Structure formats: structure tokens, C-alpha cells
Amino acid sequence: EVQLVESGGDLVQSGGSLRLSCAASGFTFSSYAMNWVRQAPGKGLEWVSCIIGNGDDTYYADSVKGRFTISRDNSKNTLYLQMTGLRADDTAVYYCANGVDNGWYYFDYWGLGTQVTVSS
Amino acid sequence: IVLTQSPGTLSLSPGDSATLSCRASQSVRNNYLAWYQQKPGQSPRLLIYTASYRAAGIPDRFSGSGSGTDFTLTITRLEPEDFAVYYCQLHGTSLWTFGQGTKVEI
């Protein structure tokens, strides 16, 4: 059974930094791209970043490019999101998600999310 | 590519049918268009992928159709657990994009 468990969310001041983690199990982690998707309070879903299985290629939404860095440790089956220069509009629940069943175009599995709150 | 969902809110009763629309500002390559359901306090759940294929474990009252720029999610015989927010999502040159959501309420 695929499981994704996020952690690391916290209350942080504007301009601060935070690192999120996503522990994965139930599938061959190194074979699949992984994503971060966020949801601001009362708002819709926003894709944030993607990293391919071997970590060689990464992709970012324009809203976080240059401030966030996605990475992975395939020996630990863990995905990371290093967030710097945090702003109030980064406040959201951050989900890790992947497309194990139907390809990297979609998000088959989601974690429960971790809350990031940026105070101004 | 921008995805526009309509209507914003759909007010229906159990047993009704729901028709949700998702329109793309440009043609969606290979119909890489998905639908998700999200209930309050829960993570999203994939319902439909590549416009019309049901994900594993999704009841057949959920169906997707469309191609190019216009896509539809149809829910027949609404069950109480179907009242939720539904998002469309595509993969394209802007990587991954979601629509703003349609709330199906009682």
C-alpha cells in the first residue's frame, strides 16, 4: 500500500526558511517522480514542484522558482522541499503526491499534508 | 494553459445527476486531463485520468468525457458522500495546472 507522510510544517516569520519532508513507502521510490502541491486556506490546489525519480531533473511553479528547492534521498525513501524567503502567500497545506499508477501526468496518491503558516 | 471550471457551485439533491465543466484556454495535449474530488479536511482523490478513464476503485457513477479544450465530469445518482469540491487538472507546457474547483452541495 502506497503511503506518503509529510512533516516539517510550522509557523514561521516572513522571510524565514523551512524544510518539509515526505516519507514514502509501499512502492519503489526511486522509480517515480514526486511532487509537492499546496492549498492555501479556503482556496484551490496549486502545483508547486516536481522531481524525477533519479533526482536529475526538477520543475517549479513560477510562484516559487528561485525560493524553493525540491530534492530527494532515494536511500531513505524521502522527499524534501526547502523553502526560503517565505511570504504570507506561501501559507498553505503542503501535500506530497505522485503518479505511481497512471503516470507522471497525474497525482494518484497524496499524503495528508503539513501546515505551513507564514506570519507577517 | 488556464483551466476554467463551471459552475462555481452546484446545488443538487441525492439521486440527482451532476454535470461539471472544465474548459482549457488551449487544446490539452493527448487529453492529459484529470478530475479530483476533495472533501473537507481530506486530501484530494483522483477520480478520472486522461479525460475518461476511471481510477482504481472509483464507482461507475463517475464518468469523464471531452477532448481538446472542453471536458466534462458527470456524476449520476448522487450519493451523500459525493457532495464535495471537484477539481480538473492538466499536464502541459505549464507543467501541472488545476482549475479553481466546483463545489457540489446539497
Side-chain angles (χ1 to χ4, degrees), chain A residues 64-92:
Chain A
V64 306
K65 202 172 292 184
R67 300 188 299 123
F68 290 11
T69 302
I70 192 171
S71 63
R72 64 194 297 160
D73 186 337
N74 287 344
S75 69
K76 295 182 178 179
N77 288 357
T78 302
L79 173 73
Y80 302 101
L81 186 67
Q82 179 68 48
M83 303 185 292
T84 62
L86 282 162
R87 312 186 302 223
D89 62 358
D90 294 317
T91 294

Side-chain angles (χ1 to χ4, degrees), chain A residues 11-68:
Chain A
L11 172 63
V12 61
Q13 286 195 331
S14 180
S17 299
L18 205 57
R19 188 176 85 156
L20 306 183
S21 300
C22 172
S25 61
F27 65 103
T28 305
F29 183 71
S30 60
S31 295
Y32 294 94
M34 294 293 297
N35 295 268
W36 289 99
V37 178
R38 69 184 180 182
Q39 187 168 34
K43 303 297 184 182
L45 301 168
E46 179 188 18
W47 170 77
V48 172
S49 184
C50 175
I51 184 169
I52 67 170
N54 62 12
D56 282 354
D57 288 323
T58 58
Y59 306 87
Y60 297 93
D62 287 344
S63 58
V64 306
K65 202 172 292 184
R67 300 188 299 123
F68 290 11

Side-chain angles (χ1 to χ4, degrees), chain A residues 39 102 104-108 111, chain B residues 36 38 43 46 50 89 96:
Chain A
Q39 187 168 34
N102 298 301
W104 87 323
Y105 308 107
Y106 312 113
F107 308 115
D108 299 309
Chain B
Y36 300 82
Q38 187 178 32
S43 306
L46 177 67
T50 314
Q89 171 255 318
W96 292 266

Side-chain angles (χ1 to χ4, degrees), chain B residues 23-41:
Chain B
R23 177 163 291 175
S25 58
Q26 300 174 39
S27 184
V28 178
R29 180 174 60 99
N30 295 327
N31 291 334
Y32 289 146
L33 190 288
W35 291 92
Y36 300 82
Q37 175 194 67
Q38 187 178 32
K39 299 178 184 179

Side-chain angles (χ1 to χ4, degrees), chain A residues 3-17:
Chain A
Q3 287 199 328
L4 302 171
V5 180
E6 304 92 338
S7 61
D10 205 348
L11 172 63
V12 61
Q13 286 195 331
S14 180
S17 299

